[in-house]
Amino acid sequence: MTGKLYGLNLLGMPKPSSSRRSGAKEVRAPASPLRSGVSRPAMWRVLEIHKIIRAGRHPNCSTLAKEIEVTPKTIQRDISFMRDQLGLPVEYHSIKNGYYYTQEVNEFPMLHLSRSDLVALFLARHALEPLRGTRLERMLADSFSKITEACPGEVSIEWHELDDAFSVKASGVLPADVTLFGDLLDAIRGTREVCFDYHKLTSTKPERRSVRPHHIGQIEHGWYLIAFDPAREAMRTFALQRISNLEIHKAKFTRQAGFNARDHLGGGFGVWSYAGEQRSKHEVHIRLEGYAARIVAERQWHPTQAIRKIKPDGSIIEFQADLAGLEEITRWVLSWGSKAKVLGPPELVKRVREELMKASHLNS
């Protein structure tokens, strides 16, 4: 395997010809010597700084230098490069003692990915399916994350190491999948309304939906479209494999102000966004034991999770998270069988009990 991956090498550096091909302005990264024993390419540092500032953490040169493992002077040069050469609106906040963006930055200016680049990304992610769970997958996952940082308004990839995640077809990617992915990308980039037949998991037949597409994301090894549904006056999430008969309309739309794909999906436990529903927070507490306790403790299941060891050896733990809905956490609890016990909230206890009763009646 070579070090290059669809216009970027594994360290996040653009190929020299990529900016000329896409028409983007070519700029040179700051040529600063690296500290002895540290290998941090210039553009890798700039992308990391961009990601940290964009997250609203208000870092300064000292905290960035410690996190990225270079000197504060190197960070200062990188910040100047971002402001003067890339035109990023980065300023220093005198009260919070750190850098921030004075306006929203939706696209990193160094990388402009074409439709072909994004389709290649889609195909590459599927091709890497046999590597799931390996050390090489984790290395490539970091590279994919850097690539998708360049197009947050169009496509993203979330790498969750879940055994029961949505799987990719072992036989490969069908031409229809690639066509649908590419057509939806065109609609997103052109802000054009689309309609399609969608087969919900709870329905017996497809229904026609007209939506305004905002984002395509690879979440838990499955691809999903996030779109605004005017009929429901809310954002909705659609699995690509259940979309058919896509039509792209000539009518254009205005993107929802402040839409952010990560925020949209952040409240749920997986692909469910619970958008448009009553988004009261549910603080869930689940006790797990045995192999379930060890597996759960090894992984990041949700951004808000906290894990407390009940026994010092980790054989019994308590899992806690703040969720916007209970649909997926109910299935997650049931997947552990007798190794999981819901401590709260009462609504989750009720949901799990009802599902277990229904299952026992089916087997009687």
Side-chain angles (χ1 to χ4, degrees):
M1 179 176 288
T2 66
K4 300 294 179 64
L5 181 66
Y6 298 107
L8 297 174
N9 63 28
L10 296 181
L11 293 174
M13 293 287 286
K15 290 168 67 176
S17 61
S18 62
S19 59
R20 290 194 293 271
R21 183 177 63 251
S22 63
K25 180 180 178 181
E26 184 175 1
V27 292
R28 293 176 178 267
S32 57
L34 296 175
R35 195 172 58 184
S36 177
V38 178
S39 179
R40 298 298 189 203
M43 280 312 304
W44 183 93
R45 297 195 309 267
V46 168
L47 286 169
E48 286 297 300
I49 294 170
H50 163 70
K51 182 170 63 176
I52 295 169
I53 293 176
R54 191 163 174 261
R57 293 166 52 183
H58 290 87
N60 55 42
C61 288
S62 297
T63 58
L64 285 168
K66 183 177 181 180
E67 187 163 345
I68 298 177
E69 298 179 331
V70 292
T71 65
K73 287 186 177 180
T74 298
I75 296 296
Q76 185 61 64
R77 285 193 292 267
D78 292 339
I79 292 289
S80 298
F81 171 76
M82 293 170 66
R83 181 193 298 118
D84 302 335
Q85 300 297 321
L86 298 182
L88 289 167
V90 57
E91 296 292 345
Y92 189 83
H93 199 295
S94 58
I95 297 177
K96 296 185 177 181
N97 297 317
Y99 292 101
Y100 72 105
Y101 283 142
T102 58
Q103 62 190 61
E104 186 175 0
V105 178
N106 291 319
E107 180 176 319
F108 190 78
M110 194 66 177
L111 306 174
H112 296 275
L113 304 186
S114 66
R115 180 184 192 269
S116 298
D117 293 328
L118 296 176
V119 170
L121 182 68
F122 170 77
L123 290 169
R125 177 61 191 91
H126 281 275
L128 292 174
E129 178 63 16
L131 299 176
R132 188 194 297 186
T134 67
R135 182 179 179 183
L136 180 58
E137 183 209 26
R138 289 190 289 274
M139 180 182 71
L140 292 174
D142 186 55
S143 296
F144 270 104
S145 297
K146 289 181 175 63
I147 296 171
T148 55
E149 281 291 324
C151 48
E154 295 161 355
V155 61
S156 65
I157 294 180
E158 299 289 344
W159 296 67
H160 294 298
E161 296 179 358
L162 304 181
D163 292 334
D164 58 345
F166 292 88
S167 61
V168 177
K169 293 182 289 293
S171 58
V173 185
L174 298 176
D177 296 335
V178 180
T179 300
L180 174 64
F181 182 86
D183 289 345
L184 285 172
L185 276 176
D186 287 343
I188 292 169
R189 305 185 102 174
T191 59
R192 296 188 180 277
E193 296 185 1
V194 302
C195 64
F196 49 77
D197 293 332
Y198 189 69
H199 201 151
K200 295 173 61 176
L201 288 175
T202 54
S203 301
T204 57
K205 61 181 181 179
E207 62 176 318
R208 198 68 176 169
R209 305 288 287 269
S210 295
V211 300
R212 299 167 183 170
H214 279 57
H215 190 87
I216 290 180
Q218 193 277 332
I219 310 155
E220 297 183 359
H221 302 283
W223 288 92
Y224 294 85
L225 168 69
I226 302 174
F228 182 79
D229 188 333
R232 293 161 176 80
E233 298 184 345
M235 285 288 179
R236 288 292 185 263
T237 306
F238 303 91
L240 262 61
Q241 67 268 23
R242 295 199 289 276
I243 293 176
S244 60
N245 300 321
L246 174 72
E247 293 182 10
I248 301 177
H249 296 165
K250 292 183 178 180
K252 303 192 75 173
F253 65 89
T254 301
R255 288 174 61 88
Q256 294 294 109
F259 168 78
N260 182 284
R262 293 183 184 276
D263 292 343
H264 175 76
L265 294 167
F269 196 71
V271 299
W272 284 53
S273 66
Y274 303 97
E277 300 178 16
Q278 184 65 34
R279 298 196 66 171
S280 57
K281 289 293 183 181
H282 301 273
E283 186 176 295
V284 302
H285 294 263
I286 302 161
R287 180 168 294 187
L288 299 110
E289 61 180 49
Y291 72 88
R294 291 185 169 85
I295 292 175
V296 170
E298 291 172 352
R299 303 179 183 178
Q300 181 70 28
W301 303 88
H302 193 267
T304 67
Q305 77 178 46
I307 293 176
R308 182 171 65 92
K309 289 184 179 180
I310 305 301
K311 284 193 173 183
D313 63 357
S315 60
I316 300 179
I317 66 169
E318 182 179 323
F319 175 91
Q320 176 186 338
D322 296 326
L323 307 179
L326 299 175
E327 181 69 29
E328 288 185 309
I329 192 68
T330 301
R331 296 201 300 269
W332 186 76
V333 169
L334 291 169
S335 71
W336 299 113
S338 62
K339 301 299 181 182
K341 179 182 179 181
V342 179
L343 304 179
E347 184 182 347
L348 181 57
V349 175
K350 179 182 177 183
R351 281 171 172 256
V352 171
R353 181 184 295 119
E354 289 177 348
E355 289 296 321
L356 289 172
M357 290 179 64
K358 292 176 183 177
S360 64
H361 288 321
L362 287 174
N363 295 325
S364 59

